[in-house]
Amino acid sequence: MRILLAVGSPRKYGNTFKLAEEFKKQAEIKGHIVDFLALDDYTIKPCNHCGFCIEKRECKHFDELREVLINFEEKYNGIIIASPIYFFYLTAQTKLFLDRLYSVNLSHKFIGAILVSGSEFFEGGNDLVIDSLKRVCNYCNSIFVGVVQKTTYDDVLDLSENDKSNIEKLILSIENNNNINSSIFIDY
């Protein structure tokens, strides 16, 4: 199985990157191919809902994300989106990426997430992101495979055994192609 791991954190040594790297490591041990896409390293133009992709089956923007999107359908079985939560939602980098996925046929592909929030205040915004991803899956006929959540209180933390176990559960959910809306693995 080939997985696109889109990481939307601008902090390469932060919690989101640590969890994403652990996901990549565990998935590769199990024989999967994981392509690590650090979104902050890409210049990504925003979707302007022009309709070009509906007509031509590709995005009209010629930016650094184009090559990833053009080959997505044939290359990947699904996506894991890893993002910190900034002001109750995904980072701007992650949102740009997510919007541009509109140009890709996501039918029967899986979507999951790794979310890191700085506080438990209003669930840190995780609930809004999870609801949004479930709606994307429903709209695109995709399979929601679950979310790993971590609350860090804005500290950079070492990975816990719980973190590693939750990543393992997410990978198992992907392998089993579960469409379980309650597949949320939490480490507070």
Side-chain angles (χ1 to χ4, degrees):
M1 187 175 315
R2 191 163 195 157
I3 303 165
L4 179 61
L5 176 56
V7 184
S9 176
R11 296 172 50 195
K12 293 208 163 101
Y13 302 102
N15 294 299
T16 303
F17 261 85
K18 285 183 178 186
L19 287 165
E21 287 166 347
E22 180 66 20
F23 176 89
K24 180 176 171 50
K25 179 178 121 184
Q26 284 193 36
E28 288 177 344
I29 287 170
K30 293 186 127 204
H32 305 295
I33 298 167
V34 179
D35 291 340
F36 198 102
L37 184 68
L39 297 173
D40 199 50
D41 292 343
Y42 285 72
T43 300
I44 303 173
K45 294 181 180 178
C47 174
N48 58 11
H49 200 63
C50 65
F52 185 87
C53 64
I54 296 168
E55 197 175 305
K56 303 287 186 184
R57 299 295 304 144
E58 64 183 55
C59 184
K60 76 172 191 172
H61 290 307
F62 285 87
D63 61 11
E64 295 175 318
L65 189 58
R66 183 177 177 79
E67 194 67 32
V68 174
L69 297 177
I70 284 177
N71 296 312
F72 181 85
E73 290 176 50
E74 297 81 32
K75 194 171 183 179
Y76 297 106
N77 299 91
I79 306 167
I80 297 298
I81 295 169
S83 180
I85 303 299
Y86 289 176
F87 205 57
F88 302 103
Y89 204 66
L90 299 167
T91 61
Q93 297 90 326
T94 311
K95 183 66 168 93
L96 283 169
F97 172 77
L98 191 61
D99 286 350
R100 291 282 297 284
L101 286 177
Y102 188 74
S103 69
V104 174
N105 180 2
L106 294 172
S107 182
H108 305 292
K109 305 286 186 182
F110 66 81
I111 298 175
I114 298 169
L115 304 176
V116 178
S117 58
S119 78
E120 294 176 28
F121 184 71
F122 291 126
E123 296 185 50
N126 290 346
D127 57 329
L128 300 173
V129 174
I130 293 166
D131 185 52
S132 176
L133 291 176
K134 286 179 181 179
R135 288 174 187 226
V136 167
C137 287
N138 188 41
Y139 178 78
C140 295
N141 196 29
S142 301
I143 302 157
F144 178 77
V145 292
V147 178
V148 171
Q149 297 182 70
K150 184 171 181 76
T151 303
T152 65
Y153 306 100
D154 294 328
D155 294 322
V156 177
L157 305 174
D158 291 332
L159 291 179
S160 70
E161 289 307 312
N162 250 359
D163 294 330
K164 294 175 184 179
S165 173
N166 289 338
I167 294 287
E168 184 179 2
K169 289 175 190 173
L170 179 59
I171 294 167
L172 285 171
S173 181
I174 291 166
E175 291 171 339
N176 295 329
N177 234 358
N178 287 335
N179 188 7
I180 303 171
N181 287 336
S182 61
S183 296
I184 300 171
F185 317 108
I186 303 173
D187 180 17
Y188 284 112

